[in-house]
Amino acid sequence: MTSNAMHRRTVLGGAAALAAGFTLAGCGDGDDGQAPEERKKGQKISLTFWSWVPGIDKPVDLWNRTHPDVQVKVEKVSAVNGQQYAKMHAAIKAGNPPDLGQIEFPVVPSFLLDNGLLDLAPLGAGRHKGKFSGWQWQQSVFGKSVYAIPQASGPMGLFLRQDLFDKWDVPVPRTWDEYETAAEAVRKKGAWIETFAPTNGNRFSGLAWQAGAKWYATHGDTWIVHLDDEPTRRVADYWESLVRRKLVKTIPDRQNAWYKDLQTGAIPAWVGASWGDALLVGNAPGTKGKWRAAPLPQWKAGEQAFANWGGSTTAVFAKARYPKDALDFAVWLNTDPESIALLIDGGYGFPSAKKGYTTTDLDVDKDFFGGQAYSKIFADAGAHVDTSWRWGPGVDTLYQRLGDAFTDALADGSSFRSVLTKVQGQTLADLKGKGLKVESGG
Amino acid sequence: MSRDTLSRPEPVTPRRARRETRGPRRRASRTGARNARAAAAFVLPFFALFALCFLAPIGYALHQSLFTTERTGPLGLGGQEREVFAGLANYAQALSDDRFLTGFGRVLAFGAVQIPLMIVLATALALLLESASARAVPFFRSAFFLPYGVPGVIASILWGFLYVPGISPLVKIAGSVGWDLDFLSRGTVLWSLANIVTWQFTGYNMLVLIAQLKAVPGELYEAARIDGANAWQVARHLKIPLIRPALVLTGVFSIIGTLQLFAEPMVLRPLASSIDSGFTPNLHAYSEAFVGNNPHAAAAEAVLLALVACVLSFGFLRLVGGRTKERG
């Protein structure tokens, strides 16, 4: 081979290296200025809906059977590591988002940053406000605008293997102190009470929420961010102590290794959320009848402080072709009693709608929980969630920052408090970088 | 053609000569033009695609990397969005990001170990398969090449099952003899990834080397054997120097491939807390673009990544090229 040919190859090789730029730069702005259309009477249309909720196909099928003119096509998206949102943001940027999408409460503001969601207020969304539990409706209301229809929340609680707790003579913990004692007792039996997954920002924020943290607030048109506050520090210290004393594992949750540990009893508990029942049933079927749900441990005995993990909405994207019909579908999906029944069967969480179900409807997997009316636990938790908690823009980045910093802390032994200080600073910079006015809370 | 005409000199009269010299020249320029047109017709589609699929995206990435987004409106929500010129601010930000720089350090360490290992392995396999006269050679050649046919994502999922404790038979077997294996810890995960990449690409590189070995004329081997060289000497003094260009080529491809490391850490990330969002520069750019929703910063990082890839590839070529000259 001559040196000339070599050079040519290298240039082509360099081309391959630049392919990174390719994928990132490949999508255009695609602002085609198309005005949304109004469906003519009798006109048949079809809407696309991106979701990952298990069992979402069934209520959608029901809608399609009962609404022949407006057909909804579900496209499943992956919810691993927030990939569904990456896909949605990219589609918004490329100008080809779906008509509707499943979006969790925490990330609604992130979508508003890139003008991805349609303001439903001018379409008369306000009429439906009364059908939903108030604070959940407020989660997607900013100023006079309504950006999404709430679907479900995820009040937090404690799942545990009652049989193992009994066998090992460990009482069900009611406070975080008792939880620590239980963790010590479980560890003595060769198991770990559960895992502290460093990359799970969702759960960590829920725990901070329970402790009374307020990460986001607004003042005029300035965002106030306060991650490094006293309640969050308390939560960080608590889990750091469990991690350092090796009373909990640090493997990622909701992954194969974790499911395996649930199946074998190596991890007999999980601080989870109401929708966790479906996960346990689906991934540890061999442990049927042995699980129970208990209220989330409290910081002070006798208190009733609860929090929410996840919870999602059905949002209409800004480019939806038939916004009116999309809104109708979103409201129907989340309020129609038959739809709610099907969603509950699929295991989607705790309904945001006020009517159309009873708590016994929610005990779908009663047998798995040894006949316990476990949804009562979550209904009580839901009733005591601190509803003043607000989300701000860039929560997906915040979770990633938290995950990275906790991962570092686990590796190099730096304190969990330093994680909070670091991520607080990074978040301020991130939001400034997005062109927002932002201040650190006091 | 020209040599042919030259070899048949003809005595010519001046007049004829003038005509002759004018004639062919005009003919030549006409054919030349025709050839140029034909060549253009053949080359144009390539350049069109090259410009569209290669130059344009690079230009766009460069352009994107120089801008930033400014927002107005209450709390920055639902308001106006404007792209403003930011100069090199995105580059400055990328270069002051510890995680991004650490990612570079990580892939360089990865490459320094994995590339030589893989190329030595590929060379050994190629030489062995070329010198063996057994019937099973085609079978082994395909078997070694097979992993290349498995997409990187699938390969990572496959290996993921062999790495994850509680599921992995390897961890279990090691555990049963008291060896506490952890493929996914902070210290080991990079080498677990190196293993996946080596498994995937050794066979591919082996095939490139075999192709070059096949091009070596048989007389050379014969001559060596007549001179009394044994198999090892033939390999050491004949085959390896002769497949040098192929070795350089696989080296360059591997350097670029290493810097692009993405699919493997991306797939293993949910399984291993030890892989952070900026584990490799490519992963960092991805996170910046699709999690942070900041395409401008991501574009700057992609451009930096491409620059480093160019510098390293050309640097490597300079290095090995220089040695050739010394020897020559």
Side-chain angles (χ1 to χ4, degrees):
Chain A
M1 201 186 295
T2 67
S3 72
N4 247 346
M6 275 314 293
H7 279 299
R8 199 173 55 86
R9 300 254 183 150
T10 349
V11 171
L12 292 180
L18 277 168
F22 244 63
T23 43
L24 298 172
C27 14
D29 286 298
D31 199 355
D32 47 15
Q34 205 178 4
E37 301 163 51
E38 193 73 49
R39 184 171 66 97
K40 292 178 201 79
K41 212 165 165 58
Q43 187 193 351
K44 288 194 190 329
I45 58 163
S46 105
L47 303 172
T48 48
F49 176 29
W50 286 2
S51 176
W52 68 92
V53 171
I56 192 78
D57 322 60
K58 285 184 185 153
V60 173
D61 285 346
L62 178 65
W63 164 274
N64 286 339
R65 277 202 303 279
T66 50
H67 300 76
D69 288 349
V70 182
Q71 294 292 298
V72 175
K73 208 171 94 211
V74 175
E75 286 172 22
K76 286 263 178 164
V77 286
S78 163
V80 174
N81 273 353
Q83 278 169 29
Q84 74 274 44
Y85 302 127
K87 189 172 158 142
M88 288 174 193
H89 282 302
I92 289 168
K93 184 112 183 90
N96 56 358
D99 298 292
L100 296 129
Q102 184 92 26
I103 290 174
E104 284 163 288
F105 291 130
V107 293
V108 169
S110 299
F111 279 95
L112 300 186
L113 270 192
D114 53 2
N115 292 327
L117 302 183
L118 192 71
D119 181 4
L120 302 172
L123 295 170
R127 279 186 290 132
H128 305 291
K129 183 177 174 183
K131 297 175 185 164
F132 297 94
S133 103
W135 72 274
Q136 289 179 47
W137 178 265
Q138 288 303 324
Q139 295 270 311
S140 0
V141 173
F142 293 89
K144 287 196 178 89
S145 306
V146 178
Y147 285 104
I149 300 299
Q151 178 164 82
S153 65
M156 292 177 76
L158 174 66
F159 293 106
L160 58 101
R161 282 281 300 273
Q162 190 70 51
D163 60 326
L164 293 177
F165 272 66
D166 286 348
K167 192 172 104 189
W168 296 334
D169 201 20
V170 180
V172 174
R174 284 161 305 175
T175 63
W176 286 113
D177 283 339
E178 288 178 15
Y179 185 83
E180 190 171 348
T181 316
E184 287 162 6
V186 169
R187 191 69 201 96
K188 283 202 187 91
K189 301 291 175 186
W192 288 263
I193 191 160
E194 66 157 323
T195 183
F196 175 81
T199 47
N200 192 338
N202 246 314
R203 184 174 93 152
F204 186 77
S205 65
L207 293 170
W209 183 340
Q210 184 210 11
K214 303 234 184 307
W215 285 1
Y216 291 97
T218 55
H219 183 265
D221 61 353
T222 305
W223 285 98
I224 315 286
V225 179
H226 203 198
L227 194 74
D228 194 10
D229 59 359
E230 207 42 61
T232 313
R233 276 189 214 139
R234 192 190 327 158
V235 175
D237 288 348
Y238 178 82
W239 286 92
E240 180 174 16
S241 152
L242 292 186
V243 166
R244 300 285 179 230
R245 293 166 61 202
K246 300 206 184 322
L247 295 177
V248 288
K249 281 197 171 188
T250 52
I251 59 167
D253 57 353
R254 294 172 295 156
Q255 290 296 332
N256 289 330
W258 184 73
Y259 289 131
K260 180 81 181 177
D261 282 343
L262 291 183
Q263 290 157 8
T264 58
I267 287 180
W270 179 33
V271 171
S274 59
W275 40 262
D277 56 346
L279 277 187
L280 295 176
V281 173
N283 293 289
T287 55
K288 186 177 177 177
K290 297 172 178 168
W291 289 87
R292 299 289 182 277
L296 196 63
Q298 298 294 314
W299 286 103
K300 252 194 219 141
E303 258 182 0
Q304 291 254 306
F306 293 100
N308 194 51
W309 172 359
S312 60
T313 69
T314 311
V316 179
F317 283 92
K319 291 243 167 153
R321 286 158 301 165
Y322 303 96
K324 187 85 185 53
D325 298 289
L327 172 64
D328 287 347
F329 168 74
V331 172
W332 176 90
L333 179 71
N334 299 311
T335 54
D336 182 82
E338 278 186 80
S339 169
I340 290 177
L342 290 168
L343 284 170
I344 289 173
D345 272 347
Y348 82 133
F350 234 74
S352 296
K354 281 185 189 159
K355 282 188 228 149
Y357 67 99
T358 63
T359 45
T360 40
D361 293 337
L362 288 162
D363 293 326
V364 193
D365 301 305
K366 216 169 169 174
D367 294 345
F368 189 84
F369 292 94
Q372 181 193 14
Y374 64 98
S375 63
K376 172 111 183 30
I377 304 276
F378 295 105
D380 287 347
H384 292 98
V385 168
D386 176 358
T387 55
S388 67
W389 174 276
R390 295 304 299 244
W391 295 105
V395 171
D396 14 23
T397 307
L398 172 81
Y399 285 164
Q400 184 165 289
R401 299 263 190 221
L402 274 175
D404 287 347
F406 276 128
T407 303
D408 287 346
L410 289 185
D412 65 19
S414 56
S415 74
F416 280 22
R417 278 187 181 219
S418 73
V419 166
L420 301 182
T421 317
K422 189 166 153 192
V423 177
Q424 164 78 13
Q426 287 172 331
T427 304
L428 291 178
D430 285 340
L431 294 187
K432 263 185 212 130
K434 286 184 181 296
L436 301 176
K437 283 186 204 153
V438 59
E439 266 171 36
S440 187
Chain B
M1 192 226 305
S2 58
R3 199 179 295 153
D4 232 315
T5 30
L6 280 178
S7 62
R8 271 186 281 128
E10 257 178 73
V12 285
T13 62
R15 236 159 117 208
R16 216 178 133 198
R18 223 180 3 251
R19 218 186 300 147
E20 286 279 294
T21 46
R22 259 167 63 197
R25 197 187 289 159
R26 210 192 294 146
R27 230 183 1 253
S29 73
R30 218 183 290 144
T31 25
R34 206 164 52 227
N35 279 346
R37 270 202 302 278
F42 278 113
V43 169
L44 206 68
F46 165 76
F47 274 108
L49 279 174
F50 182 70
L52 189 74
C53 302
F54 184 70
L55 295 179
I58 292 178
Y60 187 61
L62 279 169
H63 175 262
Q64 283 277 61
S65 70
L66 298 175
F67 285 78
T68 186
T69 311
E70 212 179 60
R71 290 181 171 82
T72 53
L75 297 168
L77 301 181
Q80 283 298 308
E81 206 178 284
R82 220 153 50 93
E83 305 217 326
V84 292
F85 186 72
L88 296 177
N90 289 319
Y91 290 93
Q93 188 206 326
L95 290 173
S96 63
D97 189 329
D98 283 347
R99 209 169 286 280
F100 185 57
L101 299 179
T102 316
F104 268 112
R106 195 175 284 125
V107 289
L108 290 180
F110 179 98
V113 175
Q114 190 265 339
I115 296 175
L117 192 79
M118 175 174 67
I119 290 185
V120 166
L121 203 62
T123 313
L125 287 177
L127 290 174
L128 281 175
L129 283 182
E130 266 308 284
S131 60
S133 49
R135 275 203 192 149
V137 166
F139 166 77
F140 280 112
R141 207 158 44 202
S142 325
F144 293 143
F145 183 66
L146 203 61
Y148 181 70
V150 179
V153 172
I154 308 293
S156 308
I157 294 173
L158 271 170
W159 280 99
F161 279 109
L162 294 173
Y163 289 157
V164 169
I167 291 169
S168 162
L170 301 178
V171 174
K172 203 171 172 186
I173 293 167
S176 66
V177 295
W179 189 15
D180 193 15
L181 266 185
D182 186 354
F183 290 111
L184 301 175
S185 76
R186 187 85 154 185
T188 53
V189 74
L190 188 65
W191 310 116
S192 301
L193 291 170
N195 174 54
I196 301 178
V197 174
T198 310
W199 177 80
Q200 256 205 306
F201 290 99
T202 301
Y204 168 80
N205 288 317
M206 176 199 78
L207 268 203
V208 174
L209 298 174
I210 287 181
Q212 178 109 48
L213 274 173
K214 291 255 188 232
V216 175
E219 295 89 0
L220 282 175
Y221 297 145
E222 231 168 275
R225 232 167 295 140
I226 292 167
D227 284 347
N230 62 22
W232 165 247
Q233 284 166 326
V234 170
R236 168 76 186 77
H237 296 290
L238 201 58
K239 289 184 177 171
I240 293 181
L242 283 171
I243 59 169
R244 220 177 109 78
L247 285 171
V248 171
L249 178 76
T250 51
V252 170
F253 282 175
S254 304
I255 290 174
I256 294 163
T258 300
L259 282 165
Q260 288 187 316
L261 200 62
F262 177 74
E264 292 82 2
M266 180 77 181
V267 171
L268 287 191
R269 214 179 133 213
L271 308 177
S273 304
S274 48
I275 299 178
D276 61 41
S277 68
F279 194 75
T280 70
N282 227 346
L283 202 56
H284 196 281
Y286 167 87
S287 308
E288 201 63 86
F290 295 109
V291 181
N293 208 12
N294 190 351
H296 302 293
E301 291 180 2
V303 170
L304 286 172
L305 180 59
L307 276 180
V308 173
C310 280
V311 167
L312 284 183
S313 321
F314 284 116
F316 176 71
L317 283 175
R318 265 303 266 272
L319 193 79
V320 290
R323 227 189 292 151
T324 318
K325 264 177 217 140
E326 271 163 45
R327 243 188 239 156

